[in-house]
Amino acid sequence: YNLLNTSGSTRESIVLTERERDVMQLVAKGKSKSEIAIILGISHSSVKRHCESVFNKLGVRNLPSAVGKALKMGLINPY
């Protein structure tokens, strides 16, 4: 996702890894971290680590904010 400043140049690029997108997509669908771990076949701590990475990339502090921003930025699909 690129945010453009008034001159049209790229100010910021945010890229989520495929796994980060998978996790955020499932969070957006209302799945818990434990459910996500089972669905993706990864540990609960891995899910937490992916969430924390997304928080850092998006500049947010919680899952609802991360999902909202990721949806707004087109990083995940609402469906």
Side-chain angles (χ1 to χ4, degrees):
Y1 178 77
N2 294 322
L3 297 175
L4 300 178
N5 62 22
T6 54
S7 66
S9 63
T10 300
R11 184 180 69 206
E12 176 182 10
S13 290
I14 297 173
V15 178
L16 299 183
T17 66
E18 183 177 349
R19 186 59 89 189
E20 290 167 347
R21 283 193 313 272
D22 292 343
V23 169
M24 285 296 105
Q25 195 72 43
L26 291 167
V27 170
K29 292 180 179 182
K31 302 295 183 189
S32 70
K33 289 178 185 172
S34 296
E35 290 172 318
I36 293 168
I38 292 167
I39 292 166
L40 297 179
I42 60 177
S43 70
H44 186 272
S45 62
S46 290
V47 174
K48 282 182 64 176
R49 192 169 55 251
H50 290 305
C51 290
E52 290 167 3
S53 177
V54 171
F55 293 173
N56 289 331
K57 288 180 179 183
L58 298 181
V60 298
R61 294 183 179 189
N62 56 51
L63 282 173
S65 296
V67 169
K69 192 164 186 179
L71 285 167
K72 182 178 178 183
M73 296 172 75
L75 297 172
I76 61 174
N77 188 323
Y79 305 105

